[in-house]
């Protein structure tokens, strides 16, 4: 059962269901398509839990809040639903939003299983209350840096907007590439309007002047990412440059719709294994029917989130402290492998260390098909 966004106080509080506060971006400026896929996975997981008898006879219920990529809105939702007695917090795609939610969950003593956000510093201090399924940004972006080097790219330019997340990504790339002879030049997109033809030309001029062989898009989607791709693709001086998008913009159908043939050959990070588990194969089919399109890795993250929380809730009921104490004892078969949480150096939350990581792109010969270019 899913409760869609509703006025405060409208949720059922009679104890008849076990409720999970669910944070997803469903309106702009949030990444709406990612939010829809994340919610689809969460909903499918809940339906299957309830078909199997729920949580010790009680139905599992999602209480959904649209974060719209707003950290304050997410924190307020956690405050509101904690007062109403939810057993845990789940979801969120945007790292900055997830960080705000994690801070409130930690302060309130409310278990939070983060589905998709990757920022290493999800909380300021180590916490027992927060766990994460997606890999930390440092691990994923180092894999991407290894891919760049293996593909012959050592002169990297990043088109970056001001953001803690983008700044962290730039730092990870620079720190990993520099000892291996790579350079990273940052193009501050706050100085450009990439949707304007004169500024788009200026961006291309910068790439030529820096002799970059790869341009990475550390910017919002659809804009200015789409306009930058179109401008670079049209510039004959940059015919050989590789465009990359480590944050995953090309994963979703909107990217292909907006860019057509230009959507292909833009490598990005995806958190899927070469082969799904048997559970994953079954879930992939169900998600495809539900979404009326191929599910992204984000939809699998949503499903796996519910699988983990349902396992914990069956053992601990709605006891928040017992749930948080149980993160290190999780051993759940997910769609992408067995999920276990551990402590990782430099990571303040309980982390699934085995999250699969791929670098993929859309095949120029068939843009709806993905090619695996590198795995880590």
């Amino acid at each position: 059962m899913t409760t869609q966004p509703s006025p405060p106080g409208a949720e059922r509080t009679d104890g008849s269901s076990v409720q999970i506060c669910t944070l997803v971006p469903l309106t702009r400026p949030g990444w709406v398509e990612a939010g829809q896929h994340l919610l689809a996975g969460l909903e499918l997981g809940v339906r299957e839990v309830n078909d199997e008898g729920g949580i010790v006879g009680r139905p599992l219920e999602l209480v959904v809040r649209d974060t719209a990529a707003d950290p304050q809105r997410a924190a307020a939702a956690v405050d509101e639903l904690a007062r109403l007695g939810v057993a845990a917090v789940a979801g969120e795609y945007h790292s900055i939003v997830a960080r705000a939610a994690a801070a409130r969950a930690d302060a309130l003593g409310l278990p939070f299983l983060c589905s998709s956000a990757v920022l290493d510093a999800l909380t300021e201090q180590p916490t027992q209350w927060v766990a994460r399924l997606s890999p930390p940004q440092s691990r994923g972006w180092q894999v991407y840096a290894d891919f760049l080097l293996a593909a012959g790219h050592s002169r990297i330019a990043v088109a970056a907007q001001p953001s803690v997340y983008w700044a962290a990504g730039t730092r990870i790339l620079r720190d990993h590439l520099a000892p291996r002879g790579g350079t990273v030049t940052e193009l501050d997109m706050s100085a450009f309007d990439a949707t304007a033809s004169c500024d788009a030309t200026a961006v291309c001029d910068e790439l030529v002047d820096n002799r970059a062989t790869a341009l990475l898009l550390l910017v919002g989607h659809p804009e200015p990412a789409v306009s930058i791709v179109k401008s670079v693709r049209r510039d004959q001086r940059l015919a050989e440059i590789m465009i990359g998008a480590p944050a995953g913009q090309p994963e979703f159908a909107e990217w292909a719709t907006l860019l057509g043939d230009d959507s292909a050959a833009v490598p990005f990070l995806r958190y899927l294994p070469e082969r799904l588990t048997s559970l994953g194969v079954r879930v992939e089919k169900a998600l495809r029917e539900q979404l009326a399109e191929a599910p992204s890795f984000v939809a699998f993250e949503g499903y796996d989130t519910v699988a983990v929380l349902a396992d914990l809730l069956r053992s601990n009921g709605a006891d928040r402290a017992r749930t948080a104490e149980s993160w290190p004892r999780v051993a759940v078969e997910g769609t992408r492998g067995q999920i276990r949480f551990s402590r990782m150096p430099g990571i303040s939350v309980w982390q699934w260390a085995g999250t699969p990581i791929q670098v993929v792109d859309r095949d120029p010969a068939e843009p709806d098909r993905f090619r695996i270019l590198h795995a880590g």
Side-chain angles (χ1 to χ4, degrees), residues 144-165:
Y144 196 92
D146 288 338
F147 156 73
L148 291 172
L149 291 172
H153 298 290
S154 60
R155 298 185 64 86
I156 314 301
V158 297
Q161 291 179 307
S163 159
V164 171
Y165 174 65

Side-chain angles (χ1 to χ4, degrees), residues 18 55 58 85-87 313 316-321 323:
V18 178
I55 306 299
R58 297 171 63 188
V86 296
L313 293 170
N316 303 306
D319 188 311
R320 295 171 176 176
T323 294

Side-chain angles (χ1 to χ4, degrees), residues 17-21 46 49-50 54-62 85-90 110-111 113 305-324 326-327 330 332:
S17 63
V18 178
Q19 296 179 321
I20 297 173
C21 168
V46 167
V49 167
N50 288 334
I55 306 299
V56 194
R58 297 171 63 188
L60 185 60
E61 180 180 3
L62 299 180
V86 296
V89 182
L110 183 59
L113 180 51
T305 298
V306 172
V308 169
L309 287 177
D311 183 72
L312 290 170
L313 293 170
R314 289 188 186 107
S315 300
N316 303 306
D319 188 311
R320 295 171 176 176
R322 287 176 58 193
T323 294
S326 298
W327 295 124
V330 166
V332 172

Side-chain angles (χ1 to χ4, degrees), residues 95 98-107 112 114 119-132 343 346-350:
S95 283
R99 187 173 64 166
R104 292 308 301 149
D106 182 38
F112 173 29
C114 179
L119 193 68
D120 279 33
L122 204 56
T123 57
E124 293 296 327
Q125 301 294 330
T127 175
Q128 67 169 337
W129 295 101
V130 183
R132 173 167 55 189
R343 292 294 193 183
I347 306 300
S348 59
V349 302
W350 288 101

Side-chain angles (χ1 to χ4, degrees), residues 235-357:
D235 194 316
Q236 291 302 310
R237 298 173 299 169
L238 301 171
E240 300 301 318
I241 199 167
M242 186 205 84
I243 303 175
Q249 294 94 325
E251 168 78 6
F252 298 97
E254 183 183 25
W255 175 269
T257 300
L258 292 172
L259 281 165
D261 290 344
D262 286 341
S263 67
V266 180
F268 63 94
L269 286 166
R270 180 173 73 168
Y271 308 130
L272 288 177
E274 184 177 356
R275 291 182 179 83
L276 294 167
T277 65
S278 57
L279 171 65
V281 171
R282 179 179 64 76
V283 168
E284 193 275 341
K285 181 179 178 181
L287 285 170
R288 186 181 291 270
E289 292 175 356
Q290 181 173 335
L291 290 162
E293 63 182 4
S296 69
F297 70 86
V298 181
F300 291 101
E301 290 175 326
Y303 183 94
D304 286 343
T305 298
V306 172
V308 169
L309 287 177
D311 183 72
L312 290 170
L313 293 170
R314 289 188 186 107
S315 300
N316 303 306
D319 188 311
R320 295 171 176 176
R322 287 176 58 193
T323 294
E325 291 168 359
S326 298
W327 295 124
R329 295 191 290 276
V330 166
V332 172
E333 189 65 26
T335 59
R336 299 164 296 150
Q338 188 175 64
I339 299 168
R340 294 179 179 270
F341 297 109
S342 60
R343 292 294 193 183
M344 294 177 63
I347 306 300
S348 59
V349 302
W350 288 101
Q351 178 69 53
W352 182 23
T355 313
I357 299 174

Side-chain angles (χ1 to χ4, degrees), residues 17-30:
S17 63
V18 178
Q19 296 179 321
I20 297 173
C21 168
T22 307
L23 305 175
V24 283
L26 296 174
T27 54
R28 299 286 188 194

